Amino acid sequence: MADRFDVIEAGGRRRRRWIGVAVVAALLVVPAVSLLLSRDPGPPPPVPASTSRPVATPPAADDTPNAVHPRAVRKGRDEVIEVVFPDGRRAEVRYPAELALAGLGVRPFQGVWVDGQYRPLTAPYSVAAEVGRGGRPLRTLTPNVTLWPPPPSGVSRGDVLLFTFGPWRVALPDQPVALTFEQRLAAAEGLRGTVTEDGYLVLSARGAVRLARPGETLAGLSVGPQLWFGGGAGPLLVFTQAPHCRAGQAAPSAVLSRTQPSGAVCRDGVQIAVSSSEEFRGKALDGIRITLK
């Protein structure tokens, strides 16, 4: 597990380890707050300028969720679903049927280093609301990556790299210190995504881009492969691959940044973290079972 202040450098070029506690907090918490709070879809953004190949744009104003809803199989009082983490690891999730996790929708999260600088890669619940907001992209970096200005909400101050992988839109906020144009282009070209037959996004990286490994942390917070269930005004559950998970380990920033009370438990190599009402939280932490495959 990485040291809490060790920002791992990639791409063969060494950079100063300049990230302190305050900067790390901005990197981990601010993007999570920004992508979880906004749910108002707003008007759709216009089509970006033409390139050699068409560039996918954010969803229209119907606010189609940027999530997958797995098929649930009823087994007695429980439901069972199969999920896929963004590193390709599959898992079976069994939970009390009243939690209705499949209906909440599942989104990926993955910590990313670009030329030694950490950035969180998230799947906004509503791209039109949280990234586009009716504006125009600043530029097209590659056929599947556009650069957008900071969201008008003011929660996130940096530009946003928006990646399109099949039906998925994933956002990489560029803050607190912006990457250079060359680094942004390296991120656009080095991050790859494929979609499984059951709709999950699996990520890979090359060149100056490195993906956080299962169990990896930054400033004590998990940045490895995660799956987010729900969000917005409802409950949020985060499953994090954590091979060395221990009691009392901090929950991911997406959970800690919310106003609702939170709790977490380690079980079979996965941390289950929940922010919700007390009743839902208790049933989730007591009743969810995850089997990694």
Side-chain angles (χ1 to χ4, degrees), residues 134-223:
R136 293 178 178 272
L138 299 173
R139 69 165 64 229
T140 297
L141 295 174
T142 64
N144 72 311
V145 182
T146 47
L147 181 68
W148 292 78
S153 63
V155 178
S156 173
R157 296 183 297 276
D159 294 337
V160 179
L161 278 73
L162 186 65
F163 294 75
T164 298
F165 299 120
W168 287 98
R169 309 293 188 271
V170 290
L172 190 148
D174 191 8
Q175 60 176 7
V177 178
L179 300 171
T180 65
F181 172 77
E182 291 76 16
Q183 290 169 329
R184 288 176 172 179
L185 189 59
E189 294 175 342
L191 186 65
R192 302 295 183 88
T194 59
V195 181
T196 67
E197 291 185 358
D198 41 358
Y200 290 94
L201 178 63
V202 176
L203 298 167
S204 60
R206 65 174 186 172
V209 182
R210 184 180 74 80
L211 304 180
R213 297 177 294 270
E216 194 164 353
T217 62
L218 183 64
L221 297 176
S222 298
V223 295

Side-chain angles (χ1 to χ4, degrees), residues 75-181:
K75 294 188 176 181
R77 297 182 178 180
D78 296 337
E79 287 184 346
V80 177
I81 58 176
E82 185 160 305
V83 298
V84 183
F85 284 88
D87 65 343
R89 186 80 182 267
R90 287 187 171 268
E92 182 182 270
V93 182
R94 184 167 185 147
Y95 56 89
E98 60 265 30
L99 295 179
L101 296 191
L104 294 178
V106 191
R107 296 174 285 152
F109 168 93
Q110 175 68 58
V112 177
W113 272 267
V114 180
D115 201 18
Q117 297 193 45
Y118 174 79
R119 296 291 185 271
L121 186 72
T122 59
Y125 190 91
S126 169
V127 180
E130 298 168 33
V131 178
R133 282 285 190 174
R136 293 178 178 272
L138 299 173
R139 69 165 64 229
T140 297
L141 295 174
T142 64
N144 72 311
V145 182
T146 47
L147 181 68
W148 292 78
S153 63
V155 178
S156 173
R157 296 183 297 276
D159 294 337
V160 179
L161 278 73
L162 186 65
F163 294 75
T164 298
F165 299 120
W168 287 98
R169 309 293 188 271
V170 290
L172 190 148
D174 191 8
Q175 60 176 7
V177 178
L179 300 171
T180 65
F181 172 77

Side-chain angles (χ1 to χ4, degrees), residues 231-270:
L236 174 71
L237 294 88
V238 175
F239 296 165
T240 304
Q241 290 187 55
H244 306 291
C245 188
R246 63 189 183 279
Q249 181 170 316
S253 61
V255 171
L256 296 177
S257 64
R258 288 166 58 89
T259 57
Q260 290 182 306
S262 62
V265 64
C266 297
R267 188 168 292 140
D268 299 326
V270 176

